[in-house]
């Protein structure tokens, strides 16, 4: 498995879990404030992880573009 396949799978899992928590909250399954705050923390964590992965990928792409390509034949 190459790096991008791994990253794509992680991103997909994070999105699925984020969407599951949002759906649970939207369906009214939250019956107390502690559970609500916990789930809100989960959503924020999933969003943070997604943003960090995107930032890291953008930095990698920028570094790859900045490196000179030397073709030695």
């Amino acid at each position: 498995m190459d790096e991008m396949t791994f990253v794509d799978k992680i991103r997909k899992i994070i999105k699925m879990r984020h969407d599951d928590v949002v759906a649970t909250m939207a369906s009214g399954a939250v019956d107390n404030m502690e559970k609500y705050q916990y789930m809100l923390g989960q959503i924020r964590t999933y969003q943070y992880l997604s943003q960090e992965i995107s930032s890291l990928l953008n930095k990698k792409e920028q570094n790859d573009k900045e490196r000179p390509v030397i073709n030695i034949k």
Side-chain angles (χ1 to χ4, degrees):
M1 176 182 327
D2 66 352
E3 292 175 4
M4 292 310 293
T5 303
F6 177 76
V7 171
D8 289 339
K9 286 185 179 190
I10 293 294
R11 290 174 95 177
K12 184 178 179 181
I13 290 168
I14 290 170
K15 179 161 177 28
M16 284 179 13
R17 293 197 177 173
H18 172 273
D19 293 348
D20 289 346
V21 175
V22 169
T24 300
M25 291 178 78
S27 71
V30 182
D31 55 1
N32 61 46
M33 190 54 115
E34 286 179 4
K35 187 184 268 188
Y36 173 80
Q37 289 177 339
Y38 176 75
M39 294 173 87
L40 193 58
Q42 286 181 307
I43 290 170
R44 289 179 179 153
T45 300
Y46 294 137
Q47 290 172 338
Y48 173 78
L49 289 171
S50 293
Q51 184 60 46
E52 285 298 313
I53 290 170
S54 293
S55 295
L56 290 171
L57 289 175
N58 286 338
K59 287 179 185 175
K60 183 180 182 321
E61 289 172 2
Q62 289 174 358
N63 288 340
D64 289 345
K65 289 178 185 176
E66 292 173 1
R67 295 183 188 157
V69 177
I70 301 172
N71 190 358
I72 301 175
K73 290 186 178 186

